[in-house]
Amino acid sequence: MIVSGRITINGRSFAVNADFAQEAIFLAHQLKSSEKYIASILHSVMTENPNIGPVGCMEATVVEFHQRRRHLVDCLRYIFEAAELAELSDAPRLYKRLEAFARQELVPPTKGDVSLALRIFRELENLGNTVARAQQTRQCAVSNTIAPSGEENLPCC
């Protein structure tokens, strides 16, 4: 869909140029995520930072992608902590409702589907590979710095 030059983000249709589509597809492949989701993050970053260059925009998109993942994990942690506290006799009703939600929606898989919790645990297992890949990419990145050659930049005496 993004290759066609149009994308729908939050119910609104946007025309995108070839560079945007190429960047979104590249990032989606690198981050192992959907093109539509990455395009929505890329669009958000571009909207919030209209003067940012293409490289900075892609870097900000990667940062935002990981920040959103972090927020999701934090939210799940809070839900599971509340669910654990729901077992106390004086636990607030909200904790008991969160515990019921966690048991019904997050933990058990439905027929043939994988539960959200299991998908998250699989992602955590793959995190080591992701970090190693990012580290290798960072170490192998091309430098934009050009070392001075010979006598050209020597100070005068």
Side-chain angles (χ1 to χ4, degrees), residues 131-149:
V131 170
R133 213 172 41 248
Q135 179 69 15
Q136 182 177 3
T137 301
R138 188 178 66 83
Q139 289 175 341
C140 297
V142 177
S143 173
N144 292 332
T145 305
I146 300 172
S149 59

PDB file of all heavy atoms in Angstrom, residues 131-149:
ATOM      1  N   VAL A 131      19.870  -6.485  19.968  1.00  0.00           N
ATOM      2  CA  VAL A 131      20.924  -5.628  20.520  1.00  0.00           C
ATOM      3  C   VAL A 131      22.261  -5.929  19.836  1.00  0.00           C
ATOM      4  O   VAL A 131      23.012  -5.009  19.486  1.00  0.00           O
ATOM      5  CB  VAL A 131      21.019  -5.797  22.051  1.00  0.00           C
ATOM      6  CG1 VAL A 131      22.255  -5.119  22.604  1.00  0.00           C
ATOM      7  CG2 VAL A 131      19.764  -5.258  22.713  1.00  0.00           C
ATOM      8  N   ALA A 132      22.568  -7.194  19.618  1.00  0.00           N
ATOM      9  CA  ALA A 132      23.823  -7.562  18.945  1.00  0.00           C
ATOM     10  C   ALA A 132      23.855  -7.015  17.521  1.00  0.00           C
ATOM     11  O   ALA A 132      24.884  -6.504  17.071  1.00  0.00           O
ATOM     12  CB  ALA A 132      23.981  -9.082  18.937  1.00  0.00           C
ATOM     13  N   ARG A 133      22.731  -7.109  16.817  1.00  0.00           N
ATOM     14  CA  ARG A 133      22.648  -6.586  15.447  1.00  0.00           C
ATOM     15  C   ARG A 133      22.840  -5.071  15.442  1.00  0.00           C
ATOM     16  O   ARG A 133      23.553  -4.527  14.594  1.00  0.00           O
ATOM     17  CB  ARG A 133      21.295  -6.972  14.842  1.00  0.00           C
ATOM     18  CG  ARG A 133      21.334  -7.214  13.392  1.00  0.00           C
ATOM     19  CD  ARG A 133      20.068  -7.792  12.780  1.00  0.00           C
ATOM     20  NE  ARG A 133      18.825  -7.235  13.280  1.00  0.00           N
ATOM     21  CZ  ARG A 133      17.948  -7.892  14.019  1.00  0.00           C
ATOM     22  NH1 ARG A 133      18.162  -9.134  14.352  1.00  0.00           N
ATOM     23  NH2 ARG A 133      16.841  -7.314  14.424  1.00  0.00           N
ATOM     24  N   ALA A 134      22.224  -4.378  16.399  1.00  0.00           N
ATOM     25  CA  ALA A 134      22.366  -2.922  16.488  1.00  0.00           C
ATOM     26  C   ALA A 134      23.804  -2.538  16.805  1.00  0.00           C
ATOM     27  O   ALA A 134      24.344  -1.588  16.235  1.00  0.00           O
ATOM     28  CB  ALA A 134      21.418  -2.368  17.539  1.00  0.00           C
ATOM     29  N   GLN A 135      24.436  -3.273  17.702  1.00  0.00           N
ATOM     30  CA  GLN A 135      25.827  -3.006  18.055  1.00  0.00           C
ATOM     31  C   GLN A 135      26.744  -3.208  16.859  1.00  0.00           C
ATOM     32  O   GLN A 135      27.622  -2.392  16.594  1.00  0.00           O
ATOM     33  CB  GLN A 135      26.255  -3.919  19.222  1.00  0.00           C
ATOM     34  CG  GLN A 135      27.683  -3.745  19.659  1.00  0.00           C
ATOM     35  CD  GLN A 135      27.932  -2.406  20.324  1.00  0.00           C
ATOM     36  OE1 GLN A 135      27.015  -1.701  20.713  1.00  0.00           O
ATOM     37  NE2 GLN A 135      29.188  -2.041  20.426  1.00  0.00           N
ATOM     38  N   GLN A 136      26.516  -4.273  16.109  1.00  0.00           N
ATOM     39  CA  GLN A 136      27.340  -4.529  14.933  1.00  0.00           C
ATOM     40  C   GLN A 136      27.124  -3.449  13.880  1.00  0.00           C
ATOM     41  O   GLN A 136      28.076  -2.971  13.273  1.00  0.00           O
ATOM     42  CB  GLN A 136      27.026  -5.895  14.351  1.00  0.00           C
ATOM     43  CG  GLN A 136      27.897  -6.234  13.160  1.00  0.00           C
ATOM     44  CD  GLN A 136      27.632  -7.635  12.621  1.00  0.00           C
ATOM     45  OE1 GLN A 136      26.764  -8.331  13.105  1.00  0.00           O
ATOM     46  NE2 GLN A 136      28.389  -8.017  11.622  1.00  0.00           N
ATOM     47  N   THR A 137      25.891  -3.027  13.685  1.00  0.00           N
ATOM     48  CA  THR A 137      25.598  -1.971  12.721  1.00  0.00           C
ATOM     49  C   THR A 137      26.278  -0.674  13.129  1.00  0.00           C
ATOM     50  O   THR A 137      26.841   0.031  12.298  1.00  0.00           O
ATOM     51  CB  THR A 137      24.073  -1.763  12.615  1.00  0.00           C
ATOM     52  OG1 THR A 137      23.474  -2.992  12.212  1.00  0.00           O
ATOM     53  CG2 THR A 137      23.730  -0.688  11.617  1.00  0.00           C
ATOM     54  N   ARG A 138      26.237  -0.366  14.418  1.00  0.00           N
ATOM     55  CA  ARG A 138      26.866   0.857  14.909  1.00  0.00           C
ATOM     56  C   ARG A 138      28.375   0.811  14.701  1.00  0.00           C
ATOM     57  O   ARG A 138      28.997   1.790  14.292  1.00  0.00           O
ATOM     58  CB  ARG A 138      26.543   1.046  16.391  1.00  0.00           C
ATOM     59  CG  ARG A 138      26.998   2.383  16.955  1.00  0.00           C
ATOM     60  CD  ARG A 138      26.617   2.532  18.408  1.00  0.00           C
ATOM     61  NE  ARG A 138      27.298   1.605  19.288  1.00  0.00           N
ATOM     62  CZ  ARG A 138      28.515   1.782  19.773  1.00  0.00           C
ATOM     63  NH1 ARG A 138      29.210   2.845  19.464  1.00  0.00           N
ATOM     64  NH2 ARG A 138      29.060   0.888  20.577  1.00  0.00           N
ATOM     65  N   GLN A 139      28.988  -0.346  14.953  1.00  0.00           N
ATOM     66  CA  GLN A 139      30.433  -0.466  14.811  1.00  0.00           C
ATOM     67  C   GLN A 139      30.872  -0.446  13.355  1.00  0.00           C
ATOM     68  O   GLN A 139      31.976  -0.017  13.042  1.00  0.00           O
ATOM     69  CB  GLN A 139      30.924  -1.740  15.480  1.00  0.00           C
ATOM     70  CG  GLN A 139      30.858  -1.677  16.986  1.00  0.00           C
ATOM     71  CD  GLN A 139      31.234  -2.994  17.648  1.00  0.00           C
ATOM     72  OE1 GLN A 139      31.212  -4.037  17.016  1.00  0.00           O
ATOM     73  NE2 GLN A 139      31.560  -2.935  18.924  1.00  0.00           N
ATOM     74  N   CYS A 140      30.022  -0.892  12.460  1.00  0.00           N
ATOM     75  CA  CYS A 140      30.378  -0.954  11.046  1.00  0.00           C
ATOM     76  C   CYS A 140      29.895   0.270  10.265  1.00  0.00           C
ATOM     77  O   CYS A 140      30.035   0.317   9.054  1.00  0.00           O
ATOM     78  CB  CYS A 140      29.798  -2.223  10.414  1.00  0.00           C
ATOM     79  SG  CYS A 140      30.464  -3.735  11.119  1.00  0.00           S
ATOM     80  N   ALA A 141      29.306   1.237  10.953  1.00  0.00           N
ATOM     81  CA  ALA A 141      28.761   2.412  10.275  1.00  0.00           C
ATOM     82  C   ALA A 141      29.878   3.204   9.613  1.00  0.00           C
ATOM     83  O   ALA A 141      30.994   3.313  10.123  1.00  0.00           O
ATOM     84  CB  ALA A 141      28.020   3.288  11.268  1.00  0.00           C
ATOM     85  N   VAL A 142      29.560   3.784   8.468  1.00  0.00           N
ATOM     86  CA  VAL A 142      30.498   4.614   7.738  1.00  0.00           C
ATOM     87  C   VAL A 142      30.605   5.957   8.438  1.00  0.00           C
ATOM     88  O   VAL A 142      29.613   6.532   8.860  1.00  0.00           O
ATOM     89  CB  VAL A 142      30.010   4.820   6.284  1.00  0.00           C
ATOM     90  CG1 VAL A 142      30.936   5.746   5.532  1.00  0.00           C
ATOM     91  CG2 VAL A 142      29.894   3.485   5.588  1.00  0.00           C
ATOM     92  N   SER A 143      31.812   6.458   8.566  1.00  0.00           N
ATOM     93  CA  SER A 143      32.035   7.745   9.217  1.00  0.00           C
ATOM     94  C   SER A 143      31.951   8.867   8.200  1.00  0.00           C
ATOM     95  O   SER A 143      32.395   8.735   7.059  1.00  0.00           O
ATOM     96  CB  SER A 143      33.410   7.744   9.874  1.00  0.00           C
ATOM     97  OG  SER A 143      33.706   9.033  10.367  1.00  0.00           O
ATOM     98  N   ASN A 144      31.387   9.984   8.606  1.00  0.00           N
ATOM     99  CA  ASN A 144      31.337  11.170   7.756  1.00  0.00           C
ATOM    100  C   ASN A 144      32.526  12.076   8.012  1.00  0.00           C
ATOM    101  O   ASN A 144      32.674  13.104   7.374  1.00  0.00           O
ATOM    102  CB  ASN A 144      30.039  11.948   8.016  1.00  0.00           C
ATOM    103  CG  ASN A 144      28.837  11.180   7.542  1.00  0.00           C
ATOM    104  OD1 ASN A 144      28.921  10.395   6.620  1.00  0.00           O
ATOM    105  ND2 ASN A 144      27.711  11.418   8.190  1.00  0.00           N
ATOM    106  N   THR A 145      33.389  11.703   8.937  1.00  0.00           N
ATOM    107  CA  THR A 145      34.554  12.500   9.283  1.00  0.00           C
ATOM    108  C   THR A 145      35.687  12.177   8.326  1.00  0.00           C
ATOM    109  O   THR A 145      35.978  11.011   8.065  1.00  0.00           O
ATOM    110  CB  THR A 145      35.006  12.188  10.720  1.00  0.00           C
ATOM    111  OG1 THR A 145      33.903  12.378  11.589  1.00  0.00           O
ATOM    112  CG2 THR A 145      36.155  13.075  11.129  1.00  0.00           C
ATOM    113  N   ILE A 146      36.312  13.212   7.823  1.00  0.00           N
ATOM    114  CA  ILE A 146      37.433  13.025   6.899  1.00  0.00           C
ATOM    115  C   ILE A 146      38.698  13.463   7.616  1.00  0.00           C
ATOM    116  O   ILE A 146      38.804  14.598   8.077  1.00  0.00           O
ATOM    117  CB  ILE A 146      37.247  13.852   5.601  1.00  0.00           C
ATOM    118  CG1 ILE A 146      35.971  13.411   4.913  1.00  0.00           C
ATOM    119  CG2 ILE A 146      38.458  13.714   4.693  1.00  0.00           C
ATOM    120  CD1 ILE A 146      35.584  14.272   3.745  1.00  0.00           C
ATOM    121  N   ALA A 147      39.634  12.559   7.727  1.00  0.00           N
ATOM    122  CA  ALA A 147      40.897  12.873   8.389  1.00  0.00           C
ATOM    123  C   ALA A 147      41.715  13.796   7.510  1.00  0.00           C
ATOM    124  O   ALA A 147      41.726  13.669   6.284  1.00  0.00           O
ATOM    125  CB  ALA A 147      41.658  11.583   8.666  1.00  0.00           C
ATOM    126  N   PRO A 148      42.392  14.754   8.120  1.00  0.00           N
ATOM    127  CA  PRO A 148      43.237  15.660   7.314  1.00  0.00           C
ATOM    128  C   PRO A 148      44.369  14.881   6.672  1.00  0.00           C
ATOM    129  O   PRO A 148      44.898  13.944   7.246  1.00  0.00           O
ATOM    130  CB  PRO A 148      43.744  16.681   8.332  1.00  0.00           C
ATOM    131  CG  PRO A 148      43.538  16.072   9.667  1.00  0.00           C
ATOM    132  CD  PRO A 148      42.446  15.048   9.529  1.00  0.00           C
ATOM    133  N   SER A 149      44.701  15.297   5.467  1.00  0.00           N
ATOM    134  CA  SER A 149      45.776  14.589   4.763  1.00  0.00           C
ATOM    135  C   SER A 149      47.034  15.451   4.736  1.00  0.00           C
ATOM    136  O   SER A 149      46.989  16.634   4.436  1.00  0.00           O
ATOM    137  CB  SER A 149      45.350  14.278   3.331  1.00  0.00           C
ATOM    138  OG  SER A 149      45.047  15.463   2.637  1.00  0.00           O
TER     139      SER A 149
END
